[in-house]
């Protein structure tokens, strides 16, 4: 009686996570067809009407009717969002308005043509990215797509139709759809619709029927769409079976499983399975179950299995390697999980009592594989298997029945030890207890020394027990015939314990190997996650591959020299574990073709290394060359899968690093471009005015010199002087900002009174502040602060000039100073229009101005220079609105130490005339 099935806990957890994500995201339904004109848009609009009748808020986001009247009629009674009009290359284009849809937030939006490329300037380059944003916002979407727009089928469709389709979507977008509805139309009916003008205009329809819409093309496209939809339905069925823990096979689609082993007919099984799958148009899976017995096979026979698995992959089969104590149980579980309908395997070799006693995989499958058809393949009678073709592996031997002397020694030693313990117990315990001692020795031998030693220990234990403890002792005769039964049972129990313990030991080794592989994969992923450069990624990869596979390795990447991807060695010095002598021509072939080559493969096997392509999302990124210390260690199924996982992790990390570098370069380029534009805009505007004034005044002085009075000449000269000063100030601000950004301005800190620094700034701006009431409020006590007087004075000058530029001419300015034990705050307040809250943080950015055009001169650097100077002192700068109107600009400097005695320290630093 079989044990009732129950759902896999991991599958249940994954299901809960998917359902939780679906609740947070919108649902996507795709109307899928073979070509334009089959009725996808029409079906989508009909589905929208049905949802509207159910009370759902349905909105048409974008639908392309192609002047089809039937489709246009369905737009009535449906709310439609107006298209977004965009200008590109002198034409106005209609596009889907993503922002309007997000603002409207309908329950369901209909968006046609999923693979459409948006006009340059849109938020996303592709429409499927717009739909992703809608789904993330929780909006359900209906959309349409043709089979030729799937990325994975692009090359095949181009070969069949002779037309290259440029608008494609990643297959992952299609696979993530919650529902796909196939809209099918026979090719003849579609051609009739074309001729009737129901798809395109008559002239366009004639051209289409001569090119893309030929009947052969339509038949091929229809088959592809049907197959792709069937594969998706099959995947959905598999998910349903997994979720509901359905173990019974459903005969809904053909899936053939070929089971191979270390058998001489294994190759015939693979080829026969391929022919069988081709005739049924079924999926082919080749399975190899590695039992503890098969793990003890000679190396050459395990290599033969590896070659068969590679042959199966070349024939287009999916290869799977499992391990377990029972081959029949593993095959049965796999077949049920994958809904296999037919199993192909060889006829059993065991005959007679051996088959009845030891069992057979075929008998197990026939008895347990309900609703699965079993096909047996035998060897030809006229070509019997020879020992050379099929070497016999004895349970306790390897190769040609050779006995392992080391195992014999361990068996003799273990028998001697158990006999010694039994001799010490003799007379005090019953003979049954002595039997237990010998059985314990068998367990120890099986656990420590393997199958050969345990089997020999079993036989020697029975012989020793008979010779030393069964009357008459010291002979092999027995006084009571019942002891013969005891010997037989003892031997049978010992052999059974030996077999079970050895299998347990083998399974423990397999589990340890799997745990180690999981651990090294985790270690690689953890280190790659911290990698920030391609060079670091290569070093991490070389280190981990050497630790796991031995030998030497190198990561080869193409040069960015415009030669179409020429493979070369890394520029930096190679590591000690790096391979430096591999054949670059082989690496170039692997990079160009995306296939494995080199030692141990069927392509260029004469080289001394194996070359693996590192494939990413956008194609082959590079080549991994591995010169393994032991080639079998690379091509064992489990190790090969581990290496493939390593390569995938490395390729993904390289892509991530390159995308990060591209993003950083793009950001730097954007900032540089913005800085350049701001600088050019500021210079063109703010230097143009003083230059025009200087040129005009100089021209008047030159041309009208004799007719100008002395006062006019003086006024023109003064204008030239003032405007030249303004230009000099602008240039100095730009140079000061460059020096501050580069960190080339050292601070000359000295203890100075605050009022002296403020007074010096007011003196410099005496002409600018003329007519303005300026109120200064400082602490009553003498305030000494350690600062760079020249730079802080420049900060005050910039703040005061800014207040004068953006406030009425006669409005007051207030300067306040507040000194605490740890800080000095100086503020410059005005009664101007103030600063909007949204602009207060950006006001101190380079080249940023509230009024970019107007009479005010400047390049937007004064406040940013002030910010840089204050930050160099370890302080902060800011702005806030004042009560009653106006703005207050302030900066706060840290006061680190107590000021020194003014008479002892301050006077020597003052100018000579002040002293």
């Amino acid at each position: 009686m079989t044990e009732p099935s129950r759902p896999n806990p991991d599958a249940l957890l994954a299901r809960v996570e998917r359902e939780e994500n679906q609740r947070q995201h919108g649902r996507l339904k795709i109307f899928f067809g073979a070509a334009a004109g089959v009725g996808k848009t029409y079906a989508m609009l009909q589905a929208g009407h049905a949802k509207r009748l159910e009370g759902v808020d349905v909105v048409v986001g974008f639908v392309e009717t192609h002047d089809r009247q039937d489709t246009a009629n369905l737009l009535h009674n449906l709310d439609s969002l107006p298209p977004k009009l965009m200008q590109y290359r002198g034409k106005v284009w209609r596009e889907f308005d993503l922002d309007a849809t997000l603002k409207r937030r309908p329950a369901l939006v209909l968006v046609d043509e999923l693979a459409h490329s948006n006009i340059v300037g849109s938020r996303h380059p592709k429409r499927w990215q717009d739909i992703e944003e809608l789904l993330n916002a929780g909006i359900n979407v209906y959309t349409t797509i043709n089979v030729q727009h799937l990325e994975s089928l692009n090359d095949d469709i181009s070969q069949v139709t002779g037309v290259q389709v440029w608008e494609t979507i990643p297959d992952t977008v299609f696979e993530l759809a919650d529902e796909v509805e196939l809209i099918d139309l026979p090719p003849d009916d579609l051609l009739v619709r074309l001729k009737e003008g129901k798809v395109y205009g008559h002239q366009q329809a004639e051209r289409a029927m001569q090119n893309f819409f030929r009947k052969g093309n339509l038949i091929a496209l229809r088959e592809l769409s049907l197959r792709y939809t069937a594969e998706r339905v099959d995947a959905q069925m598999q998910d349903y079976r997994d979720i509901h823990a359905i173990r019974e096979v459903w005969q809904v689609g053909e899936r053939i499983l070929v089971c191979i082993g270390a058998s001489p007919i294994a190759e015939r099984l693979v080829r026969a399975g391929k022919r069988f799958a081709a005739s049924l148009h079924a999926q082919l899976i080749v399975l190899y179950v590695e039992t503890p017995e098969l793990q003890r096979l000679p190396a050459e026979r395990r290599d033969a299995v590896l070659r068969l698995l590679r042959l199966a992959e070349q024939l287009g089969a999916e290869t799977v390697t499992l391990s377990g104590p029972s081959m029949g149980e593993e095959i049965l579980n796999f077949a049920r999980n994958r809904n296999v309908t037919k199993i192909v395997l060889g006829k059993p070799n065991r005959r007679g009592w051996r088959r009845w006693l030891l069992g057979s995989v075929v008998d197990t499958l026939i008895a347990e594989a309900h609703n699965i058809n079993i096909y047996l393949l035998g060897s030809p009678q006229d070509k019997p298997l020879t020992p050379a073709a099929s070497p016999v592996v004895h349970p306790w031997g390897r190769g040609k029945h050779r006995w392992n002397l080391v195992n014999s020694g361990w068996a003799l030693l273990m028998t001697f030890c158990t006999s010694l313990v039994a001799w010490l117990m003799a007379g005090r315990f019953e003979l049954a207890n002595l039997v237990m001692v010998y059985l314990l020795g068998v367990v120890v031998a099986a656990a420590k020394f393997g199958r050969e030693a345990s089997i020999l220990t079993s036989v020697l234990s029975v012989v020793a027990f008979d010779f030393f403890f069964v009357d008459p002792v010291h002979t092999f005769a027995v006084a009571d015939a019942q002891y013969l039964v005891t010997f037989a049972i003892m031997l049978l129990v010992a052999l059974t314990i030996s077999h079970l313990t050895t299998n347990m030991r083998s399974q423990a080794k397999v589990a340890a190997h799997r745990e180690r592989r999981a651990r090294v994969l985790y270690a690689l992923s953890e280190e790659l996650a911290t990698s920030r450069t391609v060079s670091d990624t290569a070093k991490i990869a070389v280190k981990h591959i050497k630790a796991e596979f031995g030998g030497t390795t190198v990561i080869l990447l193409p040069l960015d020299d415009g030669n179409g991807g020429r493979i070369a060695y890394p520029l930096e010095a190679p590591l000690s574990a790096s391979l430096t002598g591999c054949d670059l021509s082989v690496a170039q072939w692997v990079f160009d073709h995306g296939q494995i080559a080199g030692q141990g493969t069927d392509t260029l096997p004469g080289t001394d290394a194996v070359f693996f392509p590192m494939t990413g999302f956008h194609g082959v990124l590079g080549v991994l060359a591995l010169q393994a210390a032991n080639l079998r260690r690379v091509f064992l199924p489990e190790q090969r899968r581990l290496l493939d996982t390593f390569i995938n992790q490395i390729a993904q990390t390289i892509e991530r690093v390159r995308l990060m570098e591209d993003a950083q370069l793009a950001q730097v380029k954007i900032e540089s471009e913005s800085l350049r534009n701001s600088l050019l805009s500021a210079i063109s505007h703010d230097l143009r005015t003083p230059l025009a004034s200087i040129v005009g005044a100089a021209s008047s002085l030159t041309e009208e010199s004799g007719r100008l009075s002395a006062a006019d000449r003086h006024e023109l000269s003064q204008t030239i002087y003032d405007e030249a000063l303004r230009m000099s100030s602008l240039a100095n601000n730009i140079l000061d900002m460059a020096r501050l950004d580069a960190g080339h301005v050292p601070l000359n800190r000295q203890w100075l009174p605050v009022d002296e620094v403020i007074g010096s700034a007011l003196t410099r701006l005496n002409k600018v502040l003329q007519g303005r009431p300026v109120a200064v409020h400082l602490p009553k006590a003498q305030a000494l602060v350690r600062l760079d007087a020249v730079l802080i004075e420049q900060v005050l000058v910039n703040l005061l000039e800014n207040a004068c530029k953006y406030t009425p001419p006669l409005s007051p300015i207030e300067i306040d100073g507040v000194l605490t034990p740890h800080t000095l705050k100086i503020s410059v307040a005005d009664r101007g229009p103030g600063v909007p809250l949204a602009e207060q943080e950006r006001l101190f950015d380079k080249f940023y101005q509230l009024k970019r055009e107007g009479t005010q001169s400047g390049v937007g650097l004064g406040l940013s220079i002030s910010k840089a100077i204050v930050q160099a002192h370890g302080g902060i700068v800011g702005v806030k609105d004042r009560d009653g109107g106006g703005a207050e600009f302030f900066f706060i400097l840290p006061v680190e130490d107590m000021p020194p005695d003014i008479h002892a320290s301050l006077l020597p630093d003052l100018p000579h005339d002040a002293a």
Side-chain angles (χ1 to χ4, degrees):
M1 185 174 181
T2 59
E3 180 183 357
S5 303
R6 62 187 181 89
N8 189 323
D10 294 334
L12 287 177
L13 179 60
R15 177 191 175 189
V16 171
E17 291 178 350
R18 286 198 304 268
E19 291 178 351
E20 182 64 24
N21 291 333
Q22 289 176 352
R23 281 194 292 268
Q24 297 175 359
H25 292 73
R27 295 180 60 84
L28 174 64
K29 179 176 181 179
I30 295 178
F31 292 84
F32 186 54
V38 297
K40 301 181 302 298
T41 305
Y42 191 89
M44 180 181 69
L45 291 173
Q46 283 185 322
H49 277 283
K51 286 294 183 181
R52 178 177 173 274
L53 294 176
E54 295 175 5
V56 178
D57 182 16
V58 180
V59 167
V60 177
F62 187 89
V63 166
E64 186 62 65
T65 62
H66 295 288
D67 297 328
R68 301 167 192 163
Q69 190 58 42
D70 293 341
T71 304
N73 292 337
L74 285 177
L75 290 174
H76 299 311
N77 299 326
L78 286 177
D79 292 339
S80 298
L81 294 175
K84 185 177 182 180
L85 301 181
M86 301 187 66
Q87 189 171 5
Y88 180 66
R89 292 184 176 178
K91 297 176 64 177
V92 177
W93 302 82
R94 299 166 60 253
E95 288 292 340
F96 170 57
D97 196 337
L98 175 60
D99 292 322
T101 308
L102 292 172
K103 185 178 180 181
R104 170 70 166 73
R105 290 195 65 84
L108 173 64
V109 61
L110 312 181
V111 184
D112 207 5
E113 298 181 356
L114 178 62
H116 173 76
S117 297
N118 293 331
I119 293 297
V120 176
S122 303
R123 183 186 307 176
H124 301 299
K126 295 288 187 178
R127 183 166 292 169
W128 62 264
Q129 295 171 320
D130 295 340
I131 290 179
E132 274 192 340
E133 188 168 342
L134 292 176
L135 296 173
N136 292 332
I139 301 174
N140 299 325
V141 179
Y142 283 2
T143 187
T144 63
I145 190 174
N146 292 327
V147 66
Q148 66 263 28
H149 296 297
L150 295 175
E151 181 65 39
S152 62
L153 301 177
N154 189 258
D155 294 335
D156 296 335
I157 290 174
S158 175
Q159 181 183 5
V160 171
T161 64
V163 177
Q164 182 68 46
V165 179
W166 298 107
E167 290 186 331
T168 61
I169 67 167
D171 286 42
T172 53
V173 177
F174 186 86
E175 292 165 1
L176 291 176
D178 298 280
E179 184 179 353
V180 174
E181 182 175 334
L182 177 65
I183 308 301
D184 184 42
L185 190 66
D188 291 332
D189 293 348
L190 180 56
L191 291 175
V192 170
R193 285 175 53 84
L194 274 170
K195 292 178 181 178
E196 293 176 351
K198 294 182 179 180
V199 179
Y200 301 123
H202 289 288
Q203 294 183 353
Q204 188 178 359
E206 289 293 335
R207 292 194 302 268
M209 286 187 290
Q210 295 174 4
N211 295 285
F212 189 81
F213 281 79
R214 294 194 297 268
K215 184 174 181 179
N217 292 350
L218 296 178
I219 293 173
L221 293 174
R222 189 187 186 198
E223 181 178 359
L224 283 173
S225 63
L226 291 171
R227 284 186 175 276
Y228 210 86
T229 307
E231 291 175 1
R232 175 180 172 84
V233 172
D234 183 73
Q236 290 177 336
M237 182 196 67
Q238 288 291 96
D239 290 340
Y240 181 85
R241 286 168 49 85
D242 293 340
I243 290 172
H244 294 83
I246 298 175
R247 304 279 289 171
E248 188 67 25
V249 174
W250 289 356
Q251 296 283 349
V252 294
E254 297 293 349
R255 185 173 284 111
I256 298 175
L257 177 65
V258 175
C259 304
I260 65 171
S263 169
I265 67 169
E267 185 173 349
R268 293 187 63 237
L269 282 172
V270 173
R271 299 186 186 279
K274 172 60 180 176
R275 293 193 299 270
F276 196 17
S279 64
L280 296 177
H281 301 286
Q283 180 184 359
L284 177 62
I285 305 174
V286 176
L287 175 66
Y288 170 60
V289 180
E290 194 170 41
T291 62
E293 182 180 354
L294 293 177
Q295 291 174 356
R296 294 186 293 273
L297 288 176
E300 60 271 13
R301 297 196 66 188
R302 298 192 71 192
D303 290 342
V305 175
L306 298 180
R307 286 193 295 271
L308 286 176
L309 292 175
R310 289 202 294 271
L311 172 64
E313 291 177 351
Q314 293 172 0
L315 294 177
E318 176 188 353
T319 60
V320 179
T321 302
L322 302 176
S323 61
S326 173
M327 183 180 296
E329 183 179 349
E330 295 297 329
I331 293 174
L332 195 58
N333 289 334
F334 180 82
R336 287 171 174 170
N337 291 334
R338 295 293 299 271
N339 201 47
V340 170
T341 58
K342 293 176 173 58
I343 299 178
V344 179
L345 65 165
K347 287 183 178 180
N349 294 324
R350 290 171 181 165
R351 297 289 188 272
W353 67 271
R354 294 181 68 249
R355 181 173 179 179
W356 175 81
L357 182 62
L358 301 177
S360 168
V361 175
V362 174
D363 295 337
T364 302
L365 293 178
I366 291 176
E368 300 292 338
H370 305 295
N371 208 22
I372 301 178
N373 298 324
I374 308 296
Y375 295 82
L376 302 180
L377 181 68
S379 58
Q381 293 183 356
D382 57 343
K383 293 183 179 180
L385 297 177
T386 63
S390 179
V392 179
V393 180
H394 205 273
W396 53 81
R398 295 181 183 271
K400 297 181 180 180
H401 295 244
R402 292 181 298 175
W403 191 261
N404 194 320
L405 296 179
V406 176
N407 290 333
S408 302
W410 286 118
L412 291 171
L413 178 61
M414 183 57 61
T415 306
F416 173 77
C417 293
T418 53
S419 298
L420 179 61
V421 173
W423 180 74
L424 295 174
M425 296 172 59
R428 302 184 185 91
F429 297 90
E430 296 292 335
L431 291 181
N433 294 319
L434 304 186
V435 172
M436 295 299 105
V437 173
Y438 281 108
L439 293 180
L440 178 62
V442 173
V443 173
V444 174
K448 292 292 185 182
F449 312 122
R451 180 181 296 270
E452 298 173 8
S454 64
I455 292 176
L456 182 58
T457 302
S458 301
V459 177
L460 292 177
S461 296
V462 174
V463 173
F465 177 70
D466 178 23
F467 186 79
F468 291 109
F469 303 105
V470 176
D471 292 331
V473 296
H474 302 144
T475 66
F476 292 107
V478 292
D480 190 348
Q482 293 183 1
Y483 280 111
L484 296 177
V485 178
T486 302
F487 296 155
I489 294 176
M490 179 180 175
L491 179 60
L492 181 61
V493 171
L495 291 175
T496 303
I497 292 175
S498 170
H499 175 73
L500 295 177
T501 306
T502 305
N503 286 349
M504 180 185 66
R505 182 169 177 254
S506 300
Q507 289 299 308
K509 287 184 178 180
V510 171
H513 287 317
R514 289 182 174 178
E515 188 275 334
R516 181 183 56 80
R517 285 193 289 268
R519 186 174 64 251
V520 298
L521 181 59
Y522 173 77
L524 174 68
S525 303
E526 190 175 33
E527 286 201 43
L528 288 178
T530 62
S531 177
R532 292 294 179 269
T533 64
V534 175
S535 177
D536 291 342
T537 302
K539 291 177 181 178
I540 293 171
V542 167
K543 180 183 72 173
H544 283 273
I545 292 176
K546 176 178 173 58
E548 178 61 24
F549 298 95
T552 52
T553 308
V554 67
I555 303 293
L556 302 172
L557 299 173
L559 292 174
D560 189 12
D561 56 0
N563 290 333
R566 182 166 57 89
I567 288 292
Y569 278 103
L571 297 179
E572 63 271 6
L575 304 174
S576 59
S578 178
L579 174 62
T580 58
C582 67
D583 192 343
L584 288 183
S585 62
V586 181
Q588 188 66 54
W589 186 93
V590 172
F591 180 80
D592 294 337
H593 295 81
Q595 300 177 10
I596 181 177
Q599 188 181 17
T601 69
D602 296 331
T603 305
L604 304 171
T607 58
D608 57 354
V610 192
F611 297 82
F612 299 90
M614 297 189 302
T615 305
F617 183 75
H618 298 289
V620 181
L621 303 176
V623 176
L624 184 145
L626 172 61
Q627 190 178 52
N630 184 357
L631 200 61
R632 291 187 66 255
R633 194 174 173 185
V634 176
F635 286 105
L636 281 173
E638 297 87 351
Q639 291 293 98
R640 174 62 191 280
R641 283 178 172 80
L642 178 63
L643 180 58
D644 289 341
T645 306
F646 271 29
I647 293 173
N648 290 335
Q649 290 283 340
I650 296 165
Q652 291 175 10
T653 303
I654 291 176
E655 279 194 321
R656 174 181 60 80
V657 168
R658 286 180 172 174
L659 289 174
M660 182 177 65
E661 292 175 351
D662 292 343
Q664 291 176 347
L665 291 175
Q667 185 62 30
V668 170
K669 187 175 181 180
I670 290 172
E671 292 179 356
S672 300
E673 187 70 16
S674 175
L675 181 63
R676 183 184 69 85
N677 292 337
S678 299
L679 181 59
L680 290 177
S681 175
I683 290 177
S684 64
H685 173 264
D686 296 301
L687 293 185
R688 184 173 56 205
T689 301
L691 274 176
S693 300
I694 291 173
V695 170
S699 175
S700 299
L701 284 175
T702 302
E703 298 175 359
E704 306 291 338
S705 178
R707 290 176 291 182
L708 293 175
S709 63
D712 292 337
R713 286 196 298 271
H714 176 74
E715 183 179 355
L716 291 174
S717 300
Q718 187 65 38
T719 299
I720 294 174
Y721 177 72
D722 292 339
E723 298 300 330
L725 285 179
R726 290 173 60 187
M727 291 181 61
S728 176
S729 176
L730 294 175
N732 288 335
N733 280 341
I734 295 173
L735 294 175
D736 289 345
M737 193 70 250
R739 285 196 297 268
L740 288 169
D741 282 345
H744 295 158
V745 180
L747 297 180
N748 181 22
R749 294 175 181 263
Q750 295 184 6
W751 289 99
L752 292 173
V754 177
D755 56 351
E756 181 177 323
V757 178
I758 295 176
S760 178
L762 293 174
T763 301
R764 283 180 56 184
L765 296 177
N766 185 36
K767 183 177 180 181
V768 177
L769 296 172
Q770 190 171 3
R772 286 180 180 268
V774 179
V776 180
H777 307 285
L778 297 176
K780 295 181 179 179
Q782 182 71 18
L784 290 179
V785 181
R786 189 169 179 267
L787 46 75
D788 189 315
V790 176
L791 294 180
I792 295 300
E793 179 183 322
Q794 184 63 44
V795 172
L796 287 168
V797 169
N798 291 344
L799 296 180
L800 290 169
E801 283 185 339
N802 184 76
C804 293
K805 290 177 183 177
Y806 297 100
T807 58
L810 300 179
S811 61
I813 295 177
E814 299 179 16
I815 302 176
D816 293 329
V818 179
L819 182 64
T820 67
H822 302 289
T823 61
L824 169 66
K825 178 181 179 181
I826 298 178
S827 59
V828 176
D830 59 53
R831 288 298 179 185
V835 179
L837 183 62
E839 306 286 342
Q840 290 179 3
E841 292 186 2
R842 301 183 58 193
L843 201 57
F844 292 90
D845 294 342
K846 291 188 288 290
F847 303 108
Y848 184 79
Q849 295 174 283
L850 285 177
K851 298 180 180 179
R852 297 187 179 276
E853 300 291 342
T855 60
Q856 307 299 336
S857 177
V859 292
L861 285 177
L863 294 180
S864 60
I865 290 174
S866 302
K867 179 181 179 181
I869 293 173
V870 172
Q871 289 180 343
H873 282 77
I876 59 175
V877 64
V879 61
K880 62 181 181 180
D881 288 336
R882 299 181 66 189
D883 294 336
E888 178 184 345
F889 290 82
F890 62 88
F891 62 92
I892 302 175
L893 301 178
V895 177
E896 302 171 354
D897 304 317
M898 293 297 294
D901 182 66
I902 188 171
H903 300 291
S905 302
L906 184 59
L907 290 178
D909 295 331
L910 292 176
H912 294 293
D913 56 346

